Amino acid sequence: MQFNKSIVATTLLSIFALSGCNSGGSDTSTSTPKTTITSLPNLQMCLDTNNNSQCDAKEPSTTTNKDGMGQLVITAQDKNKTILVKTDKQTLSAPATSTVVTPLTTLVVNEMKANKDMTVAEAQAAIKEKLTDFTNQYPKVDIFGDPTQNTVLEKMTNALKDTSAHYNDVDLAELANNAMHASKDEVPVINETGKSDLQEQPQITQDAKEIKPQTLNIEDQIQPIDLTTLFTLNGDSSALHYHVEGMPQGLTQKDNTIEGAITLAGTFSIKVVADNNGALSQPVTLTFEVTAPNTAPTVNDAGQKELQELTNQLNLTQGYSIGDDVTFYVSNLFSDVDNDKLTVTAQFKATATNASNGITVTQNGDELILSGTPIKKGEMTLTLSANDGVNAQSAEAIITMKIAEGIKPEGNQTQVILGQHTNIDILMIDDEQENEIFSELPINNGVLTYPLKKNISGKYIGHGVNETESYGDNFTAYKVEIIIKNGVIQGPIDFSNAEPVQINYSSDDDSSTSCNDNQQCTASVELGSHTDITSLVIAANMDSEEALTEGDITNNQITYSKFGHFTGQYIAFGAANDNPDGSFMGYITPVTIKNGVIQGVIDFSHSKGEMITD
């Protein structure tokens, strides 16, 4: 069998660690429920956990659906945070305790920003006071809830939504008064100074209500549509302006007429809104059904199944890097009977995480390259879309990516202060005997990301080195003391005043192991009677959460990349061919490593096997 990720972090280690002893316990973890929030449709929504009024990559986010609904995980510790919803004109917000995001909840957040010690209840009371006339007339209406519950409230929130004025500049009392005294065809409109007046709302004509979808062949001229026939304003539409959204490729708006030929096959919808000095009509939807002799691309089921299996083998874990960039070949994923050249795009979707969850995807021809480190546990999807440039419809292959629970970003990162030693880009953490307990860890932009091992506490030695300069037997390192508590590094690692020390590694490695100039080494393996062992993993110790190396045994040898300057006693885990039910025999033996090179033979001949089951 072949290891796809670290077997140490899964079945083998757990079996061997418990061998010969009794262990009990239960999984008491619980998942935090998601809060459903209502806002405007098809917009980005996030929880502003760092209070910078932006939706950042690591913050919980989602996109609202066509009904304006979205779900965010909001824990008790986030109750004082803010929900943000991005629109074209502005950012709407609400306290994290809200289930609705509207212009009026935004006023509550603004009030709290202006008065730092103000609570949500106090901010709501301040807004209600400005809307006293409305709240007196409609005492049972929740002005911070669903605005469609009351016609007057809906007119106020729509006026605020469409304004170009800053919300804090709006005369709310005047706005409420206008909304309360508006006729059924009037709506309040707010100007740039925050003042409001009443304007007649354009009405949809009977012709617009009866307009039918146009069915066309690709590149046929559409029947031109005169926008002035869609709306009326006291029988006169000359004062109206028109906003058009969703114009398909090939159509144009000339004066007040939509004309042209759609150059893609598919079903298209255009929304048209009439504007009377800021008073907006309800939208009119224009539909076009365009056909073509050309056939849209399709997904090859076998290709999608293979890609899903490759993804499953990644064993993605929260807080652990994918490792070497993973390449997906998509040339066999889609078919097109017309032999059109397909354009493939990739898009992540995740629940309760940012869209990519720390994983990035880049494209190089027919290759999709995944890299990065998953930030949160859970399930996400990678949607691969192929379009032929003729049909609007794309073929979509959806790959599910399951992220197992692991280390959390806030618990496995620490700041690194380099001072004048700006060439330091690697940290080696040793115990007092100079035996590695962690991998050689890269320092990126002043941040160190490391595996979380809760059983480790105490004082340790850190050597900061330059990756390029440290590949010889003698090099300079900068030594600091590091305190670790329950697997978490305490405070920043500060090299500002670190003194240089000379590291000298002898080169008298065991002659039975050889390495080439590319740091690729070969070690001998003694199997004895256990000739069914085909794969092995080497780890730092029984409690390791990550393998140093893993691979297949070929001709009683294993080839591996040199482990930097690791020196000490390590553990080798061997696995036999698996059985039809997924079980297999596992073996364990000690290994000595010196200067990153395995010493002597990896000897399984006296190892007693254990049956491993999934």
Side-chain angles (χ1 to χ4, degrees), residues 531-552:
T531 55
D532 57 346
I533 299 177
T534 58
S535 304
L536 68 79
V537 169
I538 295 176
N541 51 51
M542 295 296 294
D543 297 321
S544 294
E545 298 178 5
E546 187 173 346
L548 298 182
T549 191
E550 55 186 300
D552 293 336

Side-chain angles (χ1 to χ4, degrees), residues 268-318:
F268 305 91
S269 294
I270 298 175
K271 286 189 176 181
V272 183
V273 173
D275 184 344
N276 176 34
N277 296 316
L280 304 181
S281 70
Q282 294 297 315
V284 169
T285 301
L286 308 173
T287 303
F288 305 88
E289 297 176 357
V290 183
T291 59
N294 187 287
T295 303
T298 57
V299 176
N300 293 329
D301 292 340
Q304 181 171 358
K305 182 179 180 181
E306 180 182 4
L307 201 55
Q308 182 65 67
E309 290 174 349
L310 290 173
T311 303
N312 294 342
Q313 292 172 9
L314 294 177
N315 290 334
L316 298 173
T317 303
Q318 170 194 9

Side-chain angles (χ1 to χ4, degrees), residues 88 105 121 126 233 282 355 422 483 516 549 561 586:
D88 291 338
T105 62
L233 187 69
Q282 294 297 315
T422 55
I483 297 176
N516 60 26
T549 191
S561 296

